[in-house]
Amino acid sequence: LLQGERKSLGRETVITSMDFIGYMDSDNNYVGNCLNFINMSDINTSAITDMSYMYQNLTQLKGINADFDTSNVTAFKYMFAGCKELTSLNLKSFRTTACTNTFGMFRNCTNLGTLDLSHFDMTNVTSFTNMFLNCPLSHITCTQAFKEWCYTNKSTLGIANYSNITWTIIG
C-alpha cells in the first residue's frame, strides 16, 4: 500500500508525500514489511515536498530504482531508516537544494556500505542528526563539498568510521 497526501489541481491530482506501508495479498490480508524491491521510475514525484519515512523499516528491502525527481523535497527524515537489507543505494539523481531535514535518513541501515550521493547539496539542511547512525559505510561517491561537510559534522551525523570510508569525488 502506498500512503500519502494528495492535492487536487484542477483535473489533476498531485502527490505531495508518500510512504510504503505494505500490501494486500491475494486473500486480501495486509502484509507489511516484506517489500524487497521498489521501482519508482514511472511515478511522477515532482510535486512531492516530504519524503520522510518513505521506506522506513522495510527490513526486507534490497533495492530501489530511485531515479525520481526530488527537486522540491524539503524533508528526507528517516527516509531509509531501518532498511537492514540494503547494501548500496544509488541516489545520484537526488537533488537536495530545497532540503532542510535529513534527520536519521539512513539510520540503522546496518548493511549499507555504498552510497552514491553525487548531487547532495547540504547548504540548506539544518536538521541532520544521526543521518548515518549505525551505517557501516565503506564507500561514498559525492562532491568535495559534501565530503568536507561530513567531516565537519561527523559526530552529529553518527559517522563512526569516517577515516575508513573510501570517498570518490565527482565534479
Side-chain angles (χ1 to χ4, degrees):
L1 296 173
L2 181 61
Q3 173 177 284
E5 294 181 29
R6 294 174 169 84
K7 293 180 182 176
S8 286
L9 298 175
R11 296 181 350 182
E12 183 177 327
T13 299
V14 177
I15 299 170
T16 57
S17 71
M18 64 183 179
D19 58 276
F20 294 88
I21 57 173
Y23 74 95
M24 303 302 277
D25 69 11
S26 59
D27 294 324
N28 209 29
N29 297 309
Y30 172 74
V31 179
N33 201 14
C34 60
L35 296 172
N36 60 29
F37 184 81
I38 297 172
N39 182 357
M40 297 281 296
S41 63
D42 293 334
I43 298 175
N44 180 352
T45 60
S46 62
I48 295 178
T49 57
D50 190 347
M51 289 189 173
S52 298
Y53 311 103
M54 192 168 175
Y55 305 108
Q56 183 184 24
N57 292 326
L58 293 179
T59 57
Q60 305 302 309
L61 190 63
K62 294 180 181 179
I64 300 167
N65 176 345
D67 188 17
F68 51 89
D69 188 345
T70 62
S71 59
N72 289 310
V73 176
T74 60
F76 292 107
K77 185 167 79 173
Y78 292 108
M79 184 177 188
F80 299 101
C83 292
K84 297 175 188 252
E85 292 296 316
L86 285 177
T87 58
S88 67
L89 271 172
N90 181 342
L91 304 179
K92 69 181 176 185
S93 69
F94 273 40
R95 300 299 187 265
T96 59
T97 53
C99 183
T100 60
N101 190 339
T102 59
F103 189 99
M105 186 174 182
F106 304 101
R107 182 181 181 153
N108 294 328
C109 290
T110 54
N111 285 305
L112 187 59
T114 304
L115 280 172
D116 187 334
L117 307 175
S118 296
H119 293 99
F120 267 51
D121 177 348
M122 306 307 278
T123 305
N124 295 316
V125 176
T126 56
S127 180
F128 51 85
T129 302
N130 296 330
M131 183 175 169
F132 298 112
L133 185 68
N134 297 324
C135 290
L137 296 169
S138 59
H139 185 255
I140 297 176
T141 301
C142 62
T143 62
Q144 183 65 34
F146 183 82
K147 179 183 178 186
E148 291 170 5
W149 180 82
C150 286
Y151 180 78
T152 300
N153 298 293
K154 62 185 173 187
S155 295
T156 304
L157 290 167
I159 300 176
N161 62 333
Y162 183 89
S163 60
N164 294 326
I165 297 172
T166 301
W167 299 86
T168 300
I169 305 302
I170 55 103

